[in-house]
Amino acid sequence: MSEHTMRAVTISEFGGAEVLTVGEVARPEPLPTEVLVRVHAAGINPVDWKTREGQGMAGLQTLPLILGWDVSGVVEEVGFGVTTLKVGDEVYGMPWFPRAAGGYAEYVTAPARQWARKPATLDHAHAAAVPLAALTAWQTVVDTAHVQAGQRVLITAAAGGVGHFAVQFARHLGAHVIATASAARHPWLKELGADETIDYTTTRFEDVVKDVDVVIDLVGDAHDQTSTRSLKVLRPGGLLVAVPSGVSPDLAQAAEAAGVRLTAYLVEPDGPALTTIAGLIDAGEVTVEVEETFPLEQVGTAHAHVQAGRTRGKIVLTVTD
């Protein structure tokens, strides 16, 4: 490959894992206020495979498409006007979301302020597992729900990428954390700070939980009416943050009838929040779980692991050394 090209995973049509193709494409150039980052690792999220299949953020994309929003790497070049980063800085970020960022590639360009310096205590593979999941957790727990010390917070799918960060952030804020996950994940979630754990395979959380201040629902109504069932555990005036499925008219009507609040949510790039999160990680307040890494050429296998929905933490692609 020349200095003007790079390896990347592209899709020319929406479909199964077979549409993921590793090949050579043009290398991007940074515009003013942007930086060029050499990607060392790229995290995989559920939105990736959903978009690949024509769901998720597919309607906002143009084919051919390079998937991927989670990136950790090193600044290779800075565009005119950039003063916050310099060549050689190790950075991580979730650029451009929900527009295409092109994270499954050797190089990515994005505005400098959508990046933050990588946590010093993490390698690139673990840093790439952080941005989208941790920002989703931070923006729901801190910015949207304004969780306070002493509040009761229920987090569904707590062992996943977003969930394991949400548990830790809620704990950091002094909340009483109730987490749903399979029984095998319970000891680990207790280590992360969960006060109570519920095995969703044997117990319906609404049968054993009540008077909750905030529900961070990471499952949605598409799976066993989880958002609707969450309304039953909230105290009057409590808040449901419905992340994957949003708020349907039926759900909104049910929330009003129950006397509780709800909101939809979508993550957005946030360099300053990533700086704060990096500080918590480096201070030992937050840990990052990577279940497995795959080389770029095994992206299809990696997608299959994430799509199975049983990942502990995150799956990450390694891109360059």
Side-chain angles (χ1 to χ4, degrees):
M1 282 175 284
S2 72
E3 63 180 9
H4 302 295
T5 62
M6 65 177 183
R7 284 188 311 140
V9 177
T10 61
I11 63 171
S12 298
E13 60 181 331
F14 297 117
E18 71 278 357
V19 303
L20 297 162
T21 303
V22 180
E24 188 173 341
V25 301
R27 173 174 152 176
E29 297 292 335
L31 298 174
T33 75
E34 293 184 349
V35 296
L36 174 71
V37 172
R38 186 179 185 218
V39 179
H40 285 251
I44 300 178
N45 297 283
V47 69
D48 296 13
W49 69 258
K50 291 177 182 179
T51 302
R52 187 205 73 218
E53 288 195 338
Q55 309 172 52
M57 297 298 141
L60 301 178
Q61 315 306 329
T62 301
L63 296 174
L65 170 66
I66 301 174
L67 289 169
W69 285 277
D70 271 343
V71 171
S72 181
V74 178
V75 175
E76 185 95 352
E77 184 180 343
V78 298
F80 175 78
V82 174
T83 60
T84 56
L85 295 172
K86 64 183 185 302
V87 173
D89 282 345
E90 293 188 319
V91 295
Y92 75 144
M94 185 202 71
W96 296 117
F97 191 87
R99 299 181 182 183
Y104 298 179
E106 290 182 312
Y107 293 93
V108 169
T109 56
R113 294 178 187 271
Q114 292 186 0
W115 302 95
R117 285 176 173 79
K118 177 182 75 64
T121 54
L122 296 184
D123 58 22
H124 285 291
H126 283 78
V130 175
L132 192 148
L135 284 177
T136 300
W138 185 266
Q139 291 170 8
T140 54
V141 171
V142 179
D143 299 337
T144 302
H146 306 292
V147 167
Q148 304 293 314
Q151 287 188 321
R152 289 168 55 81
V153 178
L154 171 66
I155 300 167
T156 64
V162 177
H164 88 289
F165 285 117
V167 167
Q168 294 178 85
F169 294 152
R171 175 212 58 187
H172 175 73
L173 294 170
H176 179 92
V177 181
I178 308 162
T180 72
S182 61
R185 309 296 197 205
H186 290 187
W188 172 58
L189 288 171
K190 290 289 185 68
E191 291 176 7
L192 295 183
D195 297 285
E196 300 179 45
T197 51
I198 299 168
D199 183 356
Y200 72 92
T201 68
T202 62
T203 306
R204 296 178 74 82
F205 59 79
E206 67 269 30
D207 291 339
V208 295
V209 177
K210 62 181 180 178
D211 296 326
V212 168
D213 295 282
V214 176
V215 176
I216 306 296
D217 178 27
L218 304 174
V219 178
D221 264 348
H223 297 277
D224 200 22
Q225 294 290 293
T226 303
S227 291
T228 298
R229 290 164 49 214
S230 297
L231 301 177
K232 300 177 183 179
V233 308
L234 286 165
R235 63 163 176 78
L239 175 66
L240 165 63
V241 185
V243 179
S245 299
V247 176
S248 68
D250 287 345
L251 182 61
Q253 185 176 13
E256 184 177 4
V260 300
R261 298 172 294 139
L262 83 166
T263 183
Y265 166 79
L266 186 64
V267 68
E268 57 186 296
D270 192 343
L274 284 175
T275 297
T276 300
I277 291 166
L280 291 173
I281 292 170
D282 285 340
E285 293 287 325
V286 172
T287 62
V288 182
E289 183 75 10
V290 174
E291 183 173 275
E292 194 167 357
T293 64
F294 294 87
L296 196 65
E297 289 72 17
Q298 294 181 22
V299 62
T301 302
H303 264 228
H305 276 252
V306 176
Q307 195 164 352
R310 296 292 182 267
T311 303
R312 171 169 154 160
K314 293 287 292 292
I315 298 293
V316 174
L317 294 174
T318 53
V319 183
T320 59
D321 295 332

